[in-house]
């Protein structure tokens, strides 16, 4: 059995400083780069004859390696050996190295500027119509080793002095500012420039970054260099790098970044640690963004905003992603997890803090309400599986590390942090974070360190936070609270909730329980900390209804007893429940219970009955959750074969809100109404509402006719960017090939990445087999579709049963090519996830047999989760098919 210690490097030699030089000539046809390295190390033992570190896809000759002890002299390497499985290189010497300080020199090595979107890779772009490549790095989690031999573990921190040799027309960017006097011409080649960067603070290898290419940029300064006398002071230079001619699209991100940096300096009471911050749009990027210290890289669509052509939803997304990566400059970069087991200390915190910042910047967006749908509920969904994992999970090899960059580490992490912050009070919690960051800055930490310093900083009893939080991070899953009324209040019990209905673990959580009691005079709150499997909560005042887990502040769901549930339902009907989040949670919790079939009285019939109480609902987040849950039921409807009846039902429930909203925005309406309109109108059209389809096609025609500018297709303002994605899909579904061909033209002509993404997703809306085949072929045509966008056409196609089955057949047929292109990236996880849409035992067997016969590194856990989801869907369909059919007016088989 492999243990964590087996995959970690020996500690007999550790790095202090890397001096790395890279020759990144992006115009080379063989896509290689040359490197030179001097690592200042400390030899801890007197018997060391071999220095072992990480290396992958790098060629090194023993004649180019030597060790220079601090006392003088030189020891040439006798051999260089590679362990490809563990991605290690060993430098062997004839005699033991002197104990103490020295320098390991690799005078020359050769690496690959690959096309895998990891390590040191190439990204295609255009300048003045000419195709070019930029050089980009993506090192998290374990790919710095593809750029330089290094100790590629988060706890092995060191300083870096970097030099880049690049074509003179291109800009080189790294973590630190350029040294004064640089860049300077290369003494031996007039076409090259040398860029040397200042020494970095001590940091982990995965945060090192290099970008070489042609950019334009805009810049500003942020008050964030220091925290003195209760406020952020001192200037930090901020730049946003964009493709040539696109700096107008960088303005929004620059504004957000500047304000966020000041906000985080105030919140953490620690100045931003570096002299500068760069945000860079990268054409090919496997994830959304990467928090490299001082050199943050983004997928283009996650950074650039075209005010005329970007949807409000995507603009919010850009703000969230920018804030997330800047939060990492403290949580993750300044203080880093000790090992990947504590990844959530990076990602969970950044996923919580991002909402704090964006809420301050854009209060009209109500992002904390959106948090429930965007973070809290998705986490509950995945974490209800027995194949989920604890927030803290032992990881060993690189593929296992990649697997935990998931909903649990990010969104469950953020959700339990939000729960703790709400329980303690944000200010008490903040003081604890400040104490933690100060104690561990430029060092590494574990989860237990965080709990201890929250106790110290917040002046809380010793081990109180550890006791409260240990099971939330150390155990998988979460509880369902069963609630019954008693004479003096409530009887509550908790048990591990499992969406398949199977028995869970015997975990008992400490649960902060917040209750809203509604009465004729208004509402009052009760706060209670539940520590046992069963508990009682006393209530002295009279009430008409009680809402448990007020504001979805804690990480659990509620199963109300019949009597209390009827009171809750009535409170929704008569509009007594003022909180949109509470209205959202009531129906969402019921859907979870229905899916699990928790008892004989909980079926899909009850969910449809509850929805009648929401007939006057107007809030965006409530509708967003309802529609997400109806989408789960649509999976069953497709499997059962009553799609037409389900579509009619959807049109019926959407018509009132769609009519109320209309196509045109109203003066002074809240931003959330704009977002609701953008969701409801295209959706009712997708289900076949005739008037909506007619208007959508009219707008599509006007948009397509609006060819502006010779070089770029921008359409017309007649079609709001909020509607474009949905209207494109309606057009393809209604008109087939003619609309499809028009979208191909739009895709080729536009340079706006957001527009390209809309088109790629819309291709899959057709139910015509030839067009589905064409869509799937385009997904793998990397001359047409960027590799980073490979999933969008497939995601667009799986919305119909025919599209889902053809997509799965396509994936199986092309698996060797898919594996070749995407092995070692998150793409395999995303691809496997589409199988969770199946709802029949035969499909589960097919999926299981395929993945048993075909390797899927980095997606092993996701495949198990998908199989559990298919099984749960199949049991749900068997149990509830007749109830669903009756509710939507279909004839069940």
């Amino acid at each position: 059995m492999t243990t964590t210690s087996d995959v970690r490097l020996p500690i007999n030699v550790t790095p202090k400083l890397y001096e790395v030089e890279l020759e990144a000539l992006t115009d080379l046809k063989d896509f290689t780069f040359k490197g030179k390295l001097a690592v200042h190390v400390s030899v801890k033992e007197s018997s060391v004859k071999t220095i072992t570190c990480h290396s992958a896809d790098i060629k090194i000759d023993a004649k180019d390696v030597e060790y220079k002890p601090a006392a003088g002299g030189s020891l040439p390497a006798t051999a260089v050996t590679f362990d490809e499985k563990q991605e290690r290189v060993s430098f062997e010497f004839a005699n033991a190295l002197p104990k103490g300080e020295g320098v390991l020199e690799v005078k020359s090595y050769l690496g690959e500027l690959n096309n895998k979107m990891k390590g040191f890779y190439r990204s295609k772009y255009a300048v003045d119509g000419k195709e070019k490549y930029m050089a980009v790095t993506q090192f998290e989690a374990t790919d710095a080793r593809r750029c330089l031999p290094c100790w590629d573990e988060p706890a092995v921190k060191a300083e870096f002095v970097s030099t880049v040799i690049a074509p003179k027309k291109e800009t080189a960017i790294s973590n630190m500012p350029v040294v004064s006097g640089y860049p300077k011409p290369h003494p031996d080649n007039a076409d090259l420039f040398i860029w040397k960067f200042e020494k970095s603070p001590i940091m982990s290898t995965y945060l090192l970054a290099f970008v070489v290419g042609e950019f334009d940029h805009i810049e500003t300064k942020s008050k964030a260099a220091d925290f003195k006398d209760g406020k952020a002071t001192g200037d930090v230079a901020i730049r946003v790098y964009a493709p040539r001619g696109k700096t107008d699209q960088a303005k929004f991100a620059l504004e957000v970044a500047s304000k966020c940096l000041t906000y985080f300096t105030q919140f953490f009471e620690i100045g931003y640690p570096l002299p500068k911050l760069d945000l860079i749009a990268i054409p090919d990027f496997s994830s959304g963004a990467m928090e490299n210290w001082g050199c943050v890289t983004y997928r283009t669509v996650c950074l650039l905003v075209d005010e005329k052509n970007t949807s409000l939803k995507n603009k919010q997304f850009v703000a969230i992603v920018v804030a997330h990566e800047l939060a990492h400059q403290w949580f993750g970069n300044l203080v880093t997890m000790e090992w990947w087991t504590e990844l959530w200390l990076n990602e969970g915190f950044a996923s919580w803090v991002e909402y704090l910042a964006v809420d301050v910047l854009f209060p009209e967006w109500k992002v904390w309400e959106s948090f429930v749908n965007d973070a809290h509920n998705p986490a509950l969904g995945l974490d209800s599986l027995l194949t989920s994992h604890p927030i803290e999970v032992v990881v060993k090899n690189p593929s296992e590390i990649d697997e935990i960059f998931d909903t649990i580490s990010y969104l469950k992490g953020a959700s339990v942090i939000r729960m703790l912050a709400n329980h303690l009070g944000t200010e008490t919690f903040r003081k604890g974070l400040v104490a933690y960051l100060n104690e561990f800055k430029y060092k590494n930490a574990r989860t237990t360190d965080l709990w201890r310093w929250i106790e110290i900083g917040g002046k809380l009893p010793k081990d109180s936070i550890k006791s409260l939080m240990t099971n939330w991070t150390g155990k998988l899953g979460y509880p369902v609270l069963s609630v019954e009324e008693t004479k003096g209040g409530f009887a509550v019990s908790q048990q591990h909730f499992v969406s398949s209905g199977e028995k869970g673990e015997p975990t008992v959580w400490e649960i902060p329980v917040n209750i809203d009691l509604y009465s004729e005079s208004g509402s009052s709150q009760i706060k209670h900390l539940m520590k046992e499997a069963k508990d009682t909560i006393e209530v002295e005042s009279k009430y008409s209804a009680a809402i448990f887990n007020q504001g979805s502040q804690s990480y659990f769901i509620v199963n109300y007893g019949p009597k209390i549930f009827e009171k809750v339902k009535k409170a929704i009907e008569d509009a007594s429940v003022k909180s949109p989040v509470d209205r959202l949670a009531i129906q969402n919790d019921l859907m979870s219970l229905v899916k699990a079939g928790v008892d004989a009285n909980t079926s899909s019939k009850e969910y449809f009955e509850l929805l009648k109480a929401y007939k006057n609902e107007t809030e965006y987040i409530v509708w967003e959750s309802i529609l997400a849950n109806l989408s789960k039921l649509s999976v069953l409807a497709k499997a059962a074969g009553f799609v037409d009846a389900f579509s009619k039902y959807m049109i019926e429930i959407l018509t009132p809100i769609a009519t109320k909203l209309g196509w045109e925005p109203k003066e002074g309406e809240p931003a959330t109404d704009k977002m609701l309109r953008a969701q409801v109108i295209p959706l009712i059209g997708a289900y076949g509402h005739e008037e909506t389809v007619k208007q959508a096609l009219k707008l599509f025609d006007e948009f397509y006719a609006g060819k502006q500018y010779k070089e770029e297709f921008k359409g017309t303002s007649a079609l709001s960017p909020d509607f474009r994605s949905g209207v494109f899909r309606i057009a393809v579904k209604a008109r087939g090939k003619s609309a499809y061909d028009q979208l191909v033209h739009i895709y080729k002509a536009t340079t706006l990445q957001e527009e390209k993404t809309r088109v790629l997703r819309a291709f899959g809306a057709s139910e015509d087999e030839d067009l589905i085949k064409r869509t799937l072929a385009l997904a793998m045509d990397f001359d047409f579709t960027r590799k980073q966008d490979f999933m969008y056409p497939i995601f667009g196609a799986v919305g119909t049963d025919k599209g889902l089955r053809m997509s799965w057949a396509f994936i199986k047929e092309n698996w060797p090519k898919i594996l070749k292109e995407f092995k070692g990236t998150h793409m395999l996880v995303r691809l496997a996830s589409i199988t969770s849409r199946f709802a029949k035992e035969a499909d589960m067997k097919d999926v299981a047999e395929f993945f048993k016969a075909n390797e899927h590194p980095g997606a092993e856990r996701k495949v198990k989760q998908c199989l559990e989801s298919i099984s749960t869907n199949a049991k749900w369909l068997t149990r509830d098919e007749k109830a669903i059919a009756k509710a939507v007016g279909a004839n069940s088989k």
Side-chain angles (χ1 to χ4, degrees):
M1 176 184 241
T2 304
T3 65
T4 304
S5 59
D6 293 330
V7 297
R8 297 184 71 165
L9 291 170
I11 58 174
N12 55 2
V13 179
T14 55
K16 303 296 182 184
L17 167 68
Y18 294 86
E19 295 180 87
V20 59
E21 178 180 294
L22 301 172
E23 190 172 296
L25 306 185
T26 55
D27 54 351
L28 291 178
K29 292 183 179 179
D30 62 356
F31 298 117
T32 59
F33 68 91
K34 294 178 181 178
K36 187 185 297 184
L37 181 68
V39 191
H40 298 249
V41 300
S42 177
V43 178
K44 304 292 182 66
E45 300 170 1
S46 57
S47 58
V48 175
K49 297 175 69 174
T50 301
I51 297 177
T52 298
C53 63
H54 290 111
S55 181
D57 302 330
I58 288 175
K59 295 179 181 178
I60 305 171
D61 196 308
K63 66 179 177 57
D64 295 319
V65 181
E66 63 180 1
Y67 181 78
K68 294 182 176 180
S74 176
L75 287 77
T78 57
V80 176
T81 59
F82 293 91
D83 181 338
E84 292 187 7
K85 184 177 180 180
Q86 294 209 63
E87 298 182 337
R88 292 180 177 184
V89 60
S90 293
F91 303 105
E92 300 174 17
F93 300 89
N95 300 307
L97 307 179
K99 188 176 179 181
E101 308 300 308
V103 179
L104 172 67
E105 287 193 2
V106 181
K107 299 174 185 177
S108 177
Y109 65 88
L110 188 68
E112 178 189 1
L113 203 61
N114 67 68
N115 65 346
K116 306 293 185 183
M117 294 183 288
K118 64 179 183 177
F120 204 12
Y121 71 93
R122 62 186 186 268
S123 176
K124 188 188 296 185
Y125 67 117
V127 176
D128 298 328
K130 183 181 178 182
E131 186 177 281
K132 298 194 66 175
Y133 289 93
M134 67 176 65
V136 187
T137 56
Q138 170 57 40
F139 290 163
E140 190 178 34
T142 58
D143 289 311
R145 63 193 68 177
R146 300 181 194 282
C147 182
L148 69 157
C150 59
W151 282 254
D152 204 8
E153 296 175 3
V156 189
K157 291 189 171 187
E159 297 172 315
F160 292 83
V161 172
S162 303
T163 302
V164 174
I165 300 171
K168 66 179 181 180
K169 289 185 179 180
E170 299 182 0
T171 300
I173 311 166
S174 189
N175 306 81
M176 298 297 291
V178 178
V179 171
S180 179
Y182 285 84
K184 60 175 60 175
H186 194 287
D188 301 321
N189 189 331
D191 293 327
L192 301 178
F193 267 63
I194 301 172
W195 298 73
K196 186 170 184 178
F197 300 93
E198 295 176 9
K199 184 192 291 186
S200 76
I202 185 171
M203 66 182 189
S204 304
T205 50
Y206 77 88
L207 296 171
L208 183 64
F210 304 100
V211 179
V212 180
E214 291 190 43
F215 300 94
D216 287 336
H217 72 268
I218 56 175
E219 61 186 288
T220 189
K221 294 185 185 297
S222 175
K223 294 295 181 186
D226 201 357
F227 181 81
K228 290 182 179 179
D229 301 322
K231 64 180 181 179
T233 63
D235 290 337
V236 173
I238 304 179
R239 289 182 173 182
V240 177
Y241 288 83
R244 294 281 193 200
K246 298 289 186 182
T247 53
D248 279 353
Q249 297 178 24
K251 290 178 180 178
F252 178 72
L254 186 68
E255 177 187 0
V256 171
S258 177
K259 291 179 179 179
C260 278
L261 214 63
T262 299
Y263 174 79
F264 289 141
T265 295
Q266 295 267 164
F267 189 82
F268 297 130
E269 299 185 13
I270 297 174
Y272 172 71
L274 303 186
K276 63 90 175 176
L277 172 68
D278 295 326
L279 295 79
I280 310 162
I282 306 298
D284 297 288
F285 206 78
S286 63
S287 56
M290 176 61 209
E291 67 267 20
N292 315 300
W293 216 355
C295 183
V296 186
T297 45
Y298 293 81
R299 184 180 285 223
T300 303
V301 75
C302 296
L303 185 66
L304 303 185
V305 168
D306 183 324
E307 292 294 348
K308 292 183 179 179
N309 293 287
T310 293
S311 67
L312 176 58
K313 186 76 172 176
N314 203 68
K315 189 174 183 179
Q316 288 188 5
F317 179 65
V318 168
I320 287 286
V321 175
V322 168
H324 180 99
E325 304 309 326
L326 268 56
H328 273 310
Q329 306 303 302
W330 286 264
F331 265 96
N333 300 5
L334 182 63
V335 179
T336 311
M337 72 264 163
E338 198 277 336
W339 180 244
W340 299 105
T341 295
E342 283 93 11
L343 173 66
W344 85 283
L345 289 177
N346 287 15
E347 300 302 348
F349 266 88
S351 298
W352 173 71
V353 173
E354 69 192 35
Y355 283 87
L356 280 175
V358 174
D359 185 52
V360 170
L361 269 57
F362 304 100
E364 69 276 14
W365 288 352
K366 301 179 181 178
V367 293
W368 279 120
E369 291 185 357
S370 296
F371 178 93
V372 179
N373 280 336
D374 296 342
H376 181 86
N377 288 343
L380 291 175
L382 180 59
D383 208 24
S384 67
L385 302 177
L386 286 172
T387 47
S388 179
H389 64 83
I391 286 176
E392 296 178 277
V393 57
V394 176
V395 290
K396 298 178 282 292
N397 61 57
S399 67
E400 289 181 332
I401 294 168
D402 288 340
E403 276 195 297
I404 64 166
F405 282 81
D406 67 355
T407 296
I408 300 301
S409 296
Y410 283 72
L411 304 186
K412 181 180 180 180
S415 297
V416 299
I417 289 164
R418 173 173 169 262
M419 175 179 70
L420 179 59
N422 288 333
H423 177 62
L424 297 179
T426 302
E427 183 58 20
T428 297
F429 185 63
R430 187 190 70 82
K431 288 178 180 177
L433 297 184
V434 170
Y436 166 79
L437 288 171
N438 276 294
E439 176 66 19
F440 292 97
K441 58 186 176 183
Y442 302 108
K443 294 186 286 190
N444 298 80
R446 298 176 181 270
T447 299
T448 50
D449 297 320
L450 174 65
W451 302 151
R452 180 68 187 127
W453 282 90
I454 287 177
E455 292 165 358
I456 293 171
K459 298 180 179 179
L460 302 168
K462 185 179 179 181
D463 293 334
S464 59
I465 302 302
K466 180 181 177 182
S467 173
L468 173 63
M469 298 303 296
T470 293
N471 282 351
W472 292 109
T473 61
K475 301 288 186 180
L476 68 82
Y478 58 90
V480 52
L481 255 63
S482 296
V483 182
E484 296 285 353
E485 283 187 322
T486 64
K487 283 186 177 182
F490 306 101
V492 294
S493 61
Q494 61 163 294
Q495 64 182 50
H496 178 197
F497 176 75
V498 180
S499 60
S500 64
E502 297 179 38
K503 186 177 181 180
E505 300 293 327
T507 307
V508 175
W509 289 268
E510 289 193 21
I511 310 172
V513 180
N514 302 304
I515 309 166
D516 252 351
L517 298 177
Y518 287 89
S519 64
E520 291 183 1
S521 59
S523 65
S524 58
Q525 287 74 42
I526 296 176
K527 292 184 177 292
H528 179 80
L529 184 61
M530 182 178 180
K531 295 185 176 183
E532 305 295 337
K534 294 183 178 181
D535 202 351
T536 58
I537 301 174
E538 295 182 357
V539 178
E540 296 179 357
S541 58
K542 292 184 178 181
Y543 61 92
S544 57
I547 308 295
F548 275 64
N549 201 13
Q550 183 268 328
S552 292
Q553 292 182 36
S554 293
Y555 191 69
F556 65 89
I557 64 171
V558 184
N559 184 9
Y560 294 101
K563 290 183 179 179
I564 192 171
F565 185 72
E566 285 304 312
K567 292 180 180 179
V568 169
K569 183 177 175 182
K570 185 177 184 303
I572 294 173
E573 288 175 335
D574 62 23
S576 296
V577 183
K578 302 300 181 184
S579 165
V581 174
D582 287 344
R583 298 198 300 274
L584 177 166
I586 290 161
Q587 58 82 36
N588 195 67
D589 286 1
L590 180 61
M591 172 54 74
S592 298
L593 299 170
V594 164
K595 186 176 182 179
V598 295
D599 56 54
N601 297 318
T602 307
S603 77
S604 299
K605 175 184 175 182
E606 279 66 44
Y607 184 77
F608 284 108
E609 286 295 319
L610 176 63
L611 284 191
K612 294 175 183 178
Y614 289 80
K615 62 183 179 181
N616 296 318
E617 183 58 62
T618 60
E619 287 288 340
Y620 165 67
I621 60 159
V622 183
W623 268 108
E624 186 180 39
S625 180
I626 289 172
L627 294 174
N629 286 322
L630 287 171
S631 179
K632 296 171 187 175
L633 288 164
S634 76
V635 169
L636 306 189
K638 290 167 190 172
F642 45 81
V643 173
D644 290 344
F646 192 85
S647 295
K648 290 178 181 178
Y649 171 80
M650 290 300 296
I651 291 172
E652 180 182 336
I653 69 162
L654 286 169
T655 295
I657 188 65
T659 301
K660 175 180 171 60
L661 291 166
W663 283 85
E664 297 297 327
K666 297 172 176 59
E667 187 176 351
E669 70 179 1
T672 49
D673 277 9
K674 291 182 173 66
M675 295 172 68
L676 179 58
R677 178 181 296 106
Q679 183 170 37
V680 166
I681 299 295
L683 186 61
I684 195 172
Y687 278 112
H689 185 259
E690 290 183 7
E691 288 302 314
T692 303
V693 172
K694 182 179 178 180
Q695 178 65 9
L697 294 177
K698 176 177 178 291
L699 290 172
F700 179 76
D701 289 338
E702 292 175 0
F703 176 78
Y704 188 75
K707 299 175 184 177
Q708 301 174 0
Y709 310 105
K710 292 181 180 179
E711 300 298 328
E712 182 175 357
F713 183 93
K714 284 195 174 181
T716 71
S717 59
L719 181 55
S720 164
D722 294 327
F723 287 138
R724 284 184 202 169
S725 182
V727 166
F728 289 174
R729 291 184 64 83
I730 290 170
V732 170
K733 185 175 181 179
R735 290 179 174 168
K737 186 176 183 299
S738 63
Y740 196 107
D741 289 340
Q742 288 174 312
L743 287 178
V744 170
H745 174 229
I746 292 172
Y747 181 87
K748 290 180 177 179
T750 187
T751 61
L752 183 67
Q753 185 59 38
E754 184 179 347
E755 200 82 294
K756 288 182 181 291
T757 300
R758 292 174 187 137
V759 171
L760 289 173
R761 286 183 176 272
F763 284 151
S766 174
E767 295 189 49
D768 178 85
E769 286 193 13
D770 288 337
L771 290 181
I772 295 173
K773 288 179 182 177
R774 184 177 172 186
T775 296
L776 296 172
L778 285 177
M780 291 292 288
D781 179 357
F782 299 132
D783 290 326
F784 183 88
T785 304
R786 286 187 178 274
K787 278 189 179 181
Q788 67 168 13
D789 300 330
F790 158 71
M791 288 303 308
Y792 292 139
I794 298 173
F795 282 158
V798 298
T800 66
D801 189 63
K802 183 185 293 184
L804 174 61
R805 295 190 178 282
M806 289 181 66
S807 296
W808 174 233
F810 176 83
I811 289 166
K812 290 189 290 184
E813 181 182 347
N814 289 276
W815 191 253
K817 183 178 180 182
I818 290 169
L819 203 60
K820 179 182 177 182
E821 296 291 347
F822 298 112
K823 185 176 181 179
T825 73
H826 299 304
M827 291 293 188
L828 297 186
V829 170
R830 295 170 191 166
L831 202 58
S833 70
I834 72 163
T835 62
S836 64
R837 291 172 173 263
F838 286 123
K840 293 184 177 179
E841 291 287 343
D843 294 317
M844 183 179 72
K845 182 179 178 181
D846 178 43
V847 172
E849 289 178 349
F850 175 77
F851 283 116
K852 183 178 181 180
N854 293 273
E855 65 167 325
H856 45 287
E860 291 91 348
R861 191 190 305 275
K862 175 53 67 176
V863 168
K864 292 176 183 177
Q865 291 168 348
C866 288
L867 291 172
E868 185 179 353
S869 295
I870 300 169
S871 175
T872 298
N873 286 341
K875 289 189 286 187
W876 185 12
L877 180 60
T878 300
R879 193 173 60 243
D880 279 9
E881 180 178 348
K882 289 183 179 179
I884 298 169
K886 185 177 180 180
V888 302
N891 295 317
S892 62
K893 297 177 182 178

